[in-house]
Amino acid sequence: MRAPLPILALTAICALFSVAVPFQGAPAAQTAPAAQKTSAAKKAPAARKAPAAQKKPAARKAPAAGNRLAAKMKPRRPTVQVTAAMRAAAVGKVNQNLVASANLTLRQPGALAPVFEQLLRLTSGQSHDAVHLLHFGDSHTAADQWTGGLRDLFQQRFGDGGSGFSVAGHPFAGYRRFDARSSATAGWQSEGLRKADGDGYYGLGGISVVAASPGQSVAVDADCDRIEIDYLQQPGGGSVELYDGDQPIQQFSTDGDLAPAFATYEIPGGPHHFVLRTLESKPVRLFGWVADRDAGVTYEALGINGAEAAVMLRWNQDMLATYLQRRNPGLIVLAYGANEASDSAWDPASYQAMYSSLLEKLRAAAPAASILAIGPGDRWARYRGVWKLVPGIDWVIAAQRAACKANGCAYWDTRERMGGKGSMPQWVIAGLGQVDRVHFTDAGYHRLASALYEDLMSQYGVYQKARTESEKEGNGPIK
């Protein structure tokens, strides 16, 4: 458990950094010993055969009835050839914008004092507890390129705390975690996702996977000292067995009164291949894995393709609060807004009210955590074949900023950091944005990760200075 900061020192830093730092607790854990085993590699695919020689084509015939649709399809729009000079100019413009916007787009930075205090204690040796950073979002998060870049940067400086929470199996196309490779057999069904129109029992990540036959399994590769399985305890729930490689660890039942549940096991540190297998024809509903190490930072990507911020309000709030409190996060990141900008169900007032309600619920569930909202990037769409800015991005950013200010949360304006309104085409020409003018390339996501990390670490330096000044004024050292 982290030692609380002395009241006088806490008050002094809050005055210098303009934020109230809440107290925090730590959840209990169950443990059991286990063994270790590594997994085998897959075979490479066979080489493709060369095509056979083609005969001289005959005269074209009129398309058959089944092919008329293909014959009527419009030709593809011609693509603009990007020359080396065009790309170099765009890269220069992007670099110029990133330099000019540094440290200017992070608002209410004082709200980050709680997580900065945890990082400071970790690096100073005052605490040996891992610091957990949870990042919720849409497809920008689900692909784990942006979040993967942030994870690498944080762990290089503050230590690798493991992969933390990741959803079970492979719940949808496009889901990825670079630090926790996962898989599943075909008998699992995903629930929740971007609509979350079921019963709301979706754990921490907004997704559950369900199987009701024996021999179905999920697996994950992770480097950790402790593994946890989060699942739904339910009447008539089936039994499962956990393996580390081909070595059995333990069997347990998911039967019982309806409740969020978990099973935790201490294991030898290092890389592991965990497999969880169903044993009978009874329903098993899993939420995910938690793979932790004893110290360092976790950066846990919890993204769902097509998701909007409101999806989190459709999850069972008591269950979400239970798992949030169990993770005891130092930072909660919300990265939504791109999908809402083109959703006619929202207007500025209703969206701001919803977003504010979400921030309030997260604050109540995890009062010790800092909350950082990340705004949407510059977004374009085709209107009758012509590329135009998506106008809804303006009011989404304004509503998110207002909600964050009202709730004492930090806000990072992605679009402004990119170079402002209309900047996405330059990122595309520079090879940093995808041609859909919504998403980024791997290089683009890593540029954004570096920009956000640099802004956060700049404010972390401000916090360290304020902390030192507080101690010099007689408020005492960290204990």
Side-chain angles (χ1 to χ4, degrees), residues 17 103-104 106-110 112-113 116 453-466:
F17 210 61
N103 300 314
L104 298 179
L106 181 60
R107 292 167 175 83
Q108 293 87 243
L112 300 171
F116 287 164
Y453 178 78
E454 289 166 5
D455 288 354
L456 291 173
M457 289 301 98
S458 177
Q459 291 300 319
Y460 177 61
V462 173
Y463 179 81
Q464 286 178 304
K465 183 178 179 180

Side-chain angles (χ1 to χ4, degrees), residues 312 320 324 332 334 358-367 371:
M312 295 184 70
L320 176 61
L324 275 175
I332 296 173
L334 300 180
L358 175 58
L359 295 175
E360 291 171 1
K361 289 182 181 298
L362 291 173
R363 175 75 71 209
I371 299 177

Side-chain angles (χ1 to χ4, degrees), residues 11-12 14 86 137 192 201 236 241 249 251 291 315 401 417 436:
T11 305
C14 293
M86 291 169 62
Y201 298 136
E241 185 166 17
I249 295 178
Q251 294 184 14
W315 305 346
R401 284 180 58 177
R417 195 68 168 90
D436 64 2

Side-chain angles (χ1 to χ4, degrees), residues 293-318:
R293 301 176 74 176
D294 290 335
V297 167
T298 66
Y299 201 98
E300 305 169 29
L302 304 169
I304 299 174
N305 284 352
E308 301 182 2
V311 72
M312 295 184 70
L313 295 173
R314 294 195 287 275
W315 305 346
N316 182 279
Q317 296 301 297
D318 290 338

Side-chain angles (χ1 to χ4, degrees), residues 225-247:
D225 305 316
R226 182 171 55 258
I227 189 68
E228 175 178 302
I229 301 97
D230 291 350
Y231 64 93
L232 181 69
Q233 180 178 283
Q234 57 184 324
S239 296
V240 295
E241 185 166 17
L242 178 65
Y243 294 82
D244 186 357
D246 59 4
Q247 299 296 317

Side-chain angles (χ1 to χ4, degrees), residues 216-345:
Q216 299 301 322
S217 62
V218 294
V220 68
D221 294 310
D223 192 329
C224 57
D225 305 316
R226 182 171 55 258
I227 189 68
E228 175 178 302
I229 301 97
D230 291 350
Y231 64 93
L232 181 69
Q233 180 178 283
Q234 57 184 324
S239 296
V240 295
E241 185 166 17
L242 178 65
Y243 294 82
D244 186 357
D246 59 4
Q247 299 296 317
I249 295 178
Q250 188 169 334
Q251 294 184 14
F252 62 90
S253 174
T254 67
D255 182 34
D257 294 337
L258 191 66
F262 55 88
T264 305
Y265 304 95
E266 297 289 337
I267 52 176
H272 298 265
H273 177 71
F274 297 106
V275 178
L276 188 71
R277 183 171 292 117
T278 60
L279 300 176
E280 52 190 334
S281 296
K282 293 182 180 180
V284 172
R285 189 166 178 178
L286 306 176
F287 302 129
W289 307 90
V290 179
D292 282 337
R293 301 176 74 176
D294 290 335
V297 167
T298 66
Y299 201 98
E300 305 169 29
L302 304 169
I304 299 174
N305 284 352
E308 301 182 2
V311 72
M312 295 184 70
L313 295 173
R314 294 195 287 275
W315 305 346
N316 182 279
Q317 296 301 297
D318 290 338
M319 178 174 287
L320 176 61
T322 295
Y323 285 121
L324 275 175
Q325 289 160 12
R326 184 159 180 78
R327 288 310 287 150
N328 193 23
L331 177 67
I332 296 173
V333 180
L334 300 180
Y336 298 100
N339 295 307
E340 292 94 313
S342 56
D343 187 346
S344 60

